[in-house]
Amino acid sequence: MSAPAARAAELRAQIDEANRNYHVLDAPTISDETYDAALRELRDLEDAHPDLATPESPTQRVGGAPSSDFSPYPHGVPMLSLSNVFDESDLRAFDARVAKLAGEPATYVCELKIDGLAMSLRYEGGVLRSAGTRGDGTTGEDVTGNVRTVRDVPRTLRGAPQTIDVRGEIYLRKSAFAALNASRTAAGLPSFANPRNTAAGGLRQKDPRLTAERKLSFFAYAIGAFAGAEPPATQVELLAALRAYGVPVNEHATACATIDDVLAFCRRWEDERATLDYEIDGVVIKVDSLALQAKLGYAGKDPRWATAFKFRAQEARTKLLDIGINVSRSGKLNPYAILDPVGIGGVTVKMATLHNADDIARKDIRPGDTVIVHRAGDVIPYVVGPVLELRPKKTAPYAMPLACPVCGSPVERPEGDVFSYCTNVACPAQVTERIRHWCTRGAMDIEGVGDALSAALVEAGLCANVADLYDLDAEKLATLPRMGDRTVSNVLGELERSKTRGLARVLAALGIRYVGGQNAALLAGEFGTIDELAVASRERLAETDGIGPQIAESVAFFFARESNRDVVRRLAERGLDLTAPLHPKEPVGVLAGKTFVITGTLPSLSREEATALIVDAGGKVSGSVSKKTSYVVAGEEAGSKLAKAQTLGIEIVDEAGLRALL
Ligand SMILES: [Zn+2]
């Protein structure tokens, strides 16, 4: 066998196997991107060597073979597959081909490509008669009983033609998926991996009541058979007609006059996909005119008048080299993945979070595994799970260390907690993190003391707690690496300036659990001095407006510890201002009387930093949007809070807008 033939055979085997796992067993074994890449390579091979193309090749088929559990569901009008485009030049080439064949520039309709299961619904005389999956495009599976449980699928249509196949996507909303997993976890059942496969599994239940429990949804976007009325002339009319019949149609479908508009639509939704309550993996672009669609026809099974713009990969496979452990300032052991570097969406990913020990155990992630890594927007990359069939021999399930990897002290895992903690409060890792936190913007705002210097100070034995920072002098600092005269005097100047930040900042900087900028400001305003606060009972603390029992407990716990009281005493001795104006009835500052809600990720400010800026200017920060909210500060991947603000007509600003207000 020639090399291309061998490679083609290898790719076909890989794709067939993946198809079977994905469509028939509802258990994907490779990421969508890997699958697309394999299919694309095979297509290119077959284009270059036409003798290799066979009717059985997976490039000629849409999905997998129907499972034998359900009756076959023949499609009178075949259900389509779509060619894919991956970038701007592919998209422009598609447009150029359409224009050439049509003899003039075409106009398009863009629709979000919902990540669900294609479904064909047959209505006769306006009544739902049957429903079938896409299957191989010609024959699917009859899942009528299960589809009848989907609320979005109307039993009857208003004003529909005598016979119509309504086609669209069955999917699971992210919110419904989260609720489903929460109830499964509560019932001691394993959680589902992702919305798409949960929807697929739901449709394939033998008992429709089990389908109903998954609370599936539906969007329509096409028609198959259509008889007994004048058919629509354009895709825009088609969608409007479906809506008029009472079928849900995605609200974001948009007519685009030019390919530039199409591209802008694709780019916009690639950036904003996380704001939706359902998963999308691209944009479907269709020629608007149905007459022109008919004229353009098909190339094999793919229509020439439509294509799918696939978003950049959010997942990739790579080797999990090892599992590392970070120790936080509270002593929490955070496991993370050390990866063979892999490019995802234009960024090289070397590390990813593993959440916690339970998550590692549930997914059975082992060092040495090939794993699927997910990275989307500003979300921290995480390991989706291992690719089991690529697991090397002689691996063992991962166990969290029983001793702190930094100081060797015993590790404790409190009852009901998913995390383990280093029990040594003097653990260098914890101390380093506490010092780094003390110096961050939003806390004491000490420029020049970051990760490296915090670690060096602890390692050299110069700092065992934050009070030691104020015992530093030029002589001590000069013993550390990379500390020239200018740097030394800058750091000392910054430390001196930080003494006047006041009680609210000090409380936020101490790193008391649950006490960030907002709660620190509330406590400072209520108690006025750190001495008053330190002796307050849990009950007294909880009487503070906005401070609940959990925060009160945490504050009381902090000040009950001798070592913490000692640090506070020494801070006072070094001249730090540990007071605040009592009960500031009339808040001062440009934002006095204004309430803010922060949502999403801001370009350069963390949530704590933004809160500190607002509180410093006399404003308040709240966790939820209401009519009393003055402004919503929205960053990337802002979600439901942004939507609520829009509904209530509340002014929305970005980070630049916030800075302008300040
Ligand atoms: Zn430790």
Side-chain angles (χ1 to χ4, degrees):
M1 212 172 358
S2 69
R7 180 63 185 152
E10 194 180 325
L11 288 166
R12 276 177 202 141
Q14 189 188 351
I15 293 163
D16 279 339
E17 169 72 10
N19 273 342
R20 203 180 93 79
N21 290 324
Y22 191 78
H23 292 280
V24 182
L25 304 177
D26 301 327
T29 44
I30 63 174
S31 74
D32 289 355
E33 285 78 23
T34 312
Y35 178 86
D36 286 343
L39 199 59
R40 207 179 186 196
E41 188 186 342
L42 181 57
R43 227 175 238 142
D44 289 349
L45 263 176
E46 290 177 351
D47 286 350
H49 308 273
D51 51 310
L52 292 179
T54 68
E56 295 78 38
S57 173
T59 57
Q60 303 303 310
R61 274 182 290 145
V62 183
S67 140
S68 54
D69 290 348
F70 294 86
S71 328
Y73 190 93
H75 298 296
V77 178
M79 291 184 80
L80 305 174
S81 63
L82 287 177
S83 62
N84 291 322
V85 294
F86 294 87
D87 55 30
E88 178 177 346
S89 70
D90 285 357
L91 186 62
R92 292 195 184 278
F94 164 78
D95 179 51
R97 269 196 310 278
V98 166
K100 192 175 165 204
L101 290 165
E104 59 181 335
T107 61
Y108 299 99
V109 174
C110 287
E111 297 164 14
L112 301 181
K113 190 168 180 296
I114 315 290
D115 198 11
L117 284 106
M119 187 64 55
S120 186
L121 312 170
R122 168 60 62 95
Y123 290 84
E124 304 274 3
V127 179
L128 177 65
R129 294 291 178 205
S130 62
T133 62
R134 177 163 59 187
D136 64 5
T138 313
T139 308
E141 293 171 281
D142 189 324
V143 289
T144 308
N146 289 343
V147 168
R148 282 187 196 282
T149 71
V150 178
R151 281 215 196 144
D152 275 358
V153 172
R155 299 292 187 96
T156 57
L157 300 183
R158 293 186 300 260
Q162 179 54 32
T163 299
I164 180 174
D165 289 329
V166 172
R167 287 174 174 176
E169 204 84 356
I170 294 269
Y171 66 98
L172 183 60
R173 288 187 179 274
K174 290 181 194 167
S175 51
F177 175 71
L180 189 62
N181 267 348
S183 70
R184 283 179 71 85
T185 306
L189 297 165
S191 32
F192 291 122
N194 65 54
R196 190 205 172 272
N197 294 300
T198 311
L203 280 175
R204 302 175 49 77
Q205 296 295 323
K206 287 278 172 55
D207 181 349
R209 282 172 300 182
L210 296 175
T211 311
E213 280 175 9
R214 301 209 180 172
K215 305 223 181 331
L216 303 175
S217 301
F218 178 74
F219 280 131
Y221 49 68
I223 52 175
F226 189 97
E230 187 66 24
T234 64
Q235 177 68 10
V236 169
E237 283 180 21
L238 188 156
L239 295 176
L242 287 169
R243 228 178 240 132
Y245 301 153
V247 186
V249 170
N250 187 274
E251 58 180 324
H252 299 297
T254 302
C256 291
T258 68
I259 203 67
D260 289 324
D261 295 346
V262 169
L263 189 67
F265 183 94
C266 295
R267 294 270 183 260
R268 176 188 160 202
W269 285 106
E270 180 156 27
D271 287 344
E272 295 182 12
R273 60 198 288 196
T275 63
L276 298 166
D277 191 26
Y278 40 84
E279 294 194 333
I280 59 173
D281 58 357
V283 169
V284 175
I285 299 131
K286 296 172 183 165
V287 167
D288 188 30
S289 158
L290 269 50
L292 184 50
Q293 289 184 6
K295 183 179 167 190
L296 291 168
Y298 294 81
K301 286 209 166 178
D302 298 343
R304 288 199 185 91
W305 46 268
T307 194
F309 180 94
K310 298 285 281 222
F311 291 153
R312 270 170 303 182
Q314 291 194 307
E315 284 183 7
R317 280 200 213 191
T318 190
K319 193 82 138 185
L320 176 63
L321 302 175
D322 203 355
I323 292 178
I325 302 278
N326 258 325
V327 182
S328 79
R329 64 175 192 266
S330 63
K332 186 195 279 178
L333 269 55
N334 293 309
Y336 62 92
I338 301 167
L339 303 166
D340 197 3
V342 61
I344 311 179
V347 171
T348 302
V349 176
K350 296 174 194 161
M351 283 192 266
T353 178
L354 287 164
H355 301 296
N356 57 57
D358 282 3
D359 205 56
I360 296 173
R362 186 172 59 77
K363 295 172 177 169
D364 188 15
I365 298 167
R366 306 178 181 191
D369 271 341
T370 296
V371 292
I372 296 171
V373 180
H374 187 98
R375 175 192 167 272
D378 289 334
V379 178
I380 298 166
Y382 67 91
V383 174
V384 177
V387 183
L388 290 177
E389 68 273 21
L390 294 181
R391 171 166 288 168
K393 293 190 180 83
K394 289 187 185 164
T395 60
Y398 178 76
M400 285 293 282
L402 299 172
C404 171
V406 177
C407 71
S409 302
V411 167
E412 223 169 54
R413 183 167 169 183
E415 183 83 23
D417 200 323
V418 293
F419 290 101
S420 305
Y421 296 81
C422 165
T423 50
N424 171 17
V425 287
C427 171
Q430 295 187 40
V431 176
T432 302
E433 283 301 300
R434 275 184 228 129
I435 287 171
R436 198 189 55 76
H437 176 71
W438 177 267
C439 298
T440 49
R441 280 196 285 167
M444 296 304 274
D445 206 355
I446 299 166
E447 219 169 290
V449 188
D451 290 343
L453 185 53
S454 302
L457 286 167
V458 175
E459 200 177 321
L462 292 174
C463 283
N465 57 55
V466 296
D468 290 342
L469 283 168
Y470 297 92
D471 287 343
L472 292 172
D473 56 28
E475 201 181 321
K476 288 177 183 168
L477 280 173
T479 62
L480 299 175
R482 283 182 303 280
M483 291 296 284
D485 289 349
R486 156 110 32 108
T487 316
V488 167
S489 79
N490 280 347
V491 167
L492 291 174
E494 284 285 324
L495 282 165
E496 195 56 35
R497 265 191 293 284
S498 76
K499 291 181 177 177
T500 58
R501 303 258 189 259
L503 181 55
R505 292 291 199 96
V506 169
L507 290 177
L510 281 170
I512 305 167
R513 204 169 179 200
Y514 308 125
V515 181
Q518 175 70 11
N519 291 334
L522 292 173
L523 290 165
E526 176 77 9
F527 290 91
T529 71
I530 205 159
D531 294 337
E532 290 291 320
L533 179 67
V535 297
S537 68
R538 285 167 175 74
E539 295 70 31
R540 174 71 190 87
L541 286 161
E543 279 167 18
T544 310
D545 199 18
I547 300 294
Q550 194 180 35
I551 304 166
E553 174 66 36
S554 171
V555 173
F557 179 81
F558 180 87
F559 287 107
R561 199 172 250 176
E562 177 64 40
S563 58
N564 291 333
R565 285 205 306 274
D566 187 53
V567 166
V568 169
R569 188 179 48 75
R570 288 183 49 218
L571 289 173
E573 282 170 10
R574 297 295 174 277
L576 271 81
D577 178 6
L578 302 178
T579 65
L582 257 181
H583 310 290
K585 288 274 185 296
E586 296 276 318
V588 287
V590 288
L591 300 183
K594 301 270 190 282
T595 303
F596 288 74
V597 172
I598 305 168
T599 178
T601 310
L602 302 177
S604 69
L605 291 173
S606 72
R607 189 93 35 131
E608 289 70 28
E609 289 162 5
T611 300
L613 285 174
I614 292 166
V615 171
D616 283 354
K620 275 178 68 174
V621 178
S622 164
S624 59
V625 177
S626 73
K627 280 186 207 148
K628 290 181 188 159
T629 309
S630 320
Y631 295 95
V632 167
V633 185
E636 283 216 10
E637 314 223 340
S640 59
K641 287 178 188 170
L642 180 59
K644 188 163 180 201
Q646 282 162 343
T647 325
L648 291 175
I650 288 160
E651 190 166 340
I652 295 158
V653 296
D654 57 8
E655 182 181 316
L658 172 63
R659 289 186 189 277
L661 288 171
L662 291 160

